[in-house]
Amino acid sequence: MIRFEHVTKRYPDGTVAVDDLSLEVPRGGITVLVGPSGCGKTTTLRMVNRMVEPTEGRITIDDDDITARPAAELRRSIGYVIQHAGLFPHRTVLANVTTVPRLLGWDRPRARTAAMEAIEKVGLTADQARRYPAQLSGGQQQRVGVARALASGPDLVLMDEPFSAVDPLVRADLQQEVRRLQRDLGITVVLVTHDIDEALTLGDSVAVMRQGGHLAQFATPADLLAE
Ligand code: ADP
Ligand code: ADP
């Protein structure tokens, strides 16, 4: 579904964050990018929705070059979840989750309905939807982040260390939730983590990156464990 062809990212200060990456992320399932801090995972993920532009190489989604569409339009069509949820603190949960549908031009009733559905899908209540992010626990805020990413019904969702800031029990819950949502909705998830256990637990395929932005391995958890 997503194909990286000899993709390199060199930041203006000369740092090579990703070096000649070629990778094919399959449709459906969860593909995990794993590796130590600074090895280029976030850069790789952000190139998919053009928050970061590659210096060299080409990225396609379903064979379409991602630069063929305006970056803002591409970004809105792809779900994106980050570590601390990144919610707007002065907007209610519902207003946070309606953000992308509204940006897509959906009218308020439609955006609201889609948002409430997404909020229910991640296991939150209508009462919680009326609250502000700070009135929810860290794990619940992460659920809101996931709901916001799902509200407009994208078939691709990018997640950058989505569970790293929550405690281990909540993390296990959220991992199961993402697995269930991926299956139920038939979406493709690309998830970044520095935690190899999380990669092996959640990944249908795992891309192991190492310092310098190199891809070391791309395999199933079973194959990685067999080595
Ligand atoms: P990871 O997600 O694996 O921690 P990143 O993609 O965030 O890795 O970073 C890869 C490398 O690129 C690191 O050396 C990091 O310091 C560097 N880097 C990331 N963003 C920038 C930037 N905007 N400008 C310069 N260097 C950056
Ligand atoms: P937009 O600026 O994109 O039109 P809105 O400000 O209308 O978005 O908010 C989107 C949804 O969130 C609306 O359905 C609105 O009713 C609801 N909403 C916004 N602010 C609040 C609030 N303070 N309390 C409860 N619901 C709110």
Side-chain angles (χ1 to χ4, degrees):
M1 174 190 209
I2 310 170
R3 187 182 303 129
F4 292 81
E5 296 171 28
H6 299 288
V7 172
T8 292
K9 175 61 187 181
R10 192 177 301 106
Y11 284 108
D13 68 357
T15 306
V16 178
V18 173
D19 191 6
D20 193 24
L21 175 74
S22 293
L23 174 68
E24 260 183 65
V25 174
R27 172 172 285 287
I30 301 178
T31 295
V32 177
L33 306 179
V34 68
S37 178
C39 72
K41 305 181 296 295
T42 293
T43 300
T44 301
L45 198 70
R46 289 187 178 172
M47 287 193 288
V48 175
N49 66 4
R50 296 186 65 192
M51 289 173 76
V52 171
E53 299 285 358
T55 321
E56 286 163 46
R58 199 167 91 105
I59 302 170
T60 60
I61 297 181
D62 295 335
D63 295 322
D64 295 324
D65 195 311
I66 60 171
T67 59
R69 282 204 281 165
E73 188 192 308
L74 179 81
R75 207 162 298 149
R76 283 173 202 157
S77 73
I78 298 174
Y80 185 55
V81 182
I82 58 175
Q83 183 165 3
H84 291 286
L87 304 174
F88 302 119
H90 302 300
R91 310 195 84 198
T92 63
V93 165
L94 178 61
N96 267 282
V97 178
T98 53
T99 305
V100 175
R102 292 289 288 159
L103 284 170
L104 287 169
W106 298 11
D107 63 33
R108 265 182 211 184
R110 184 180 171 206
R112 203 186 170 93
T113 303
M116 282 311 299
E117 281 172 12
I119 286 166
E120 276 167 35
K121 269 182 205 142
V122 301
L124 296 173
T125 64
D127 178 53
Q128 287 164 329
R130 284 191 288 272
R131 298 192 199 178
Y132 289 88
Q135 297 173 300
L136 302 181
S137 70
Q140 288 167 342
Q141 290 180 34
Q142 263 335 94
R143 286 175 190 268
V144 177
V146 174
R148 187 174 57 179
L150 295 176
S152 60
D155 59 4
L156 172 61
V157 178
L158 311 177
M159 299 189 173
D160 194 345
E161 301 274 7
F163 317 128
S164 300
V166 295
D167 70 62
L169 278 177
V170 175
R171 187 180 314 153
D173 244 26
L174 286 169
Q175 286 173 344
Q176 281 187 15
E177 198 74 28
V178 164
R179 168 52 75 193
R180 187 181 60 74
L181 287 166
Q182 183 279 315
R183 286 210 186 111
D184 288 359
L185 304 175
I187 54 179
T188 302
V189 173
V190 184
L191 184 145
V192 159
T193 181
H194 62 272
D195 179 351
I196 186 70
D197 289 331
E198 179 162 279
L200 295 173
T201 305
L202 262 184
D204 294 303
S205 8
V206 180
V208 183
M209 294 185 69
R210 58 182 164 79
Q211 272 330 321
H214 301 283
L215 179 66
Q217 272 175 305
F218 185 59
T220 63
D223 287 344
L224 288 174
L225 284 168
E227 281 178 24

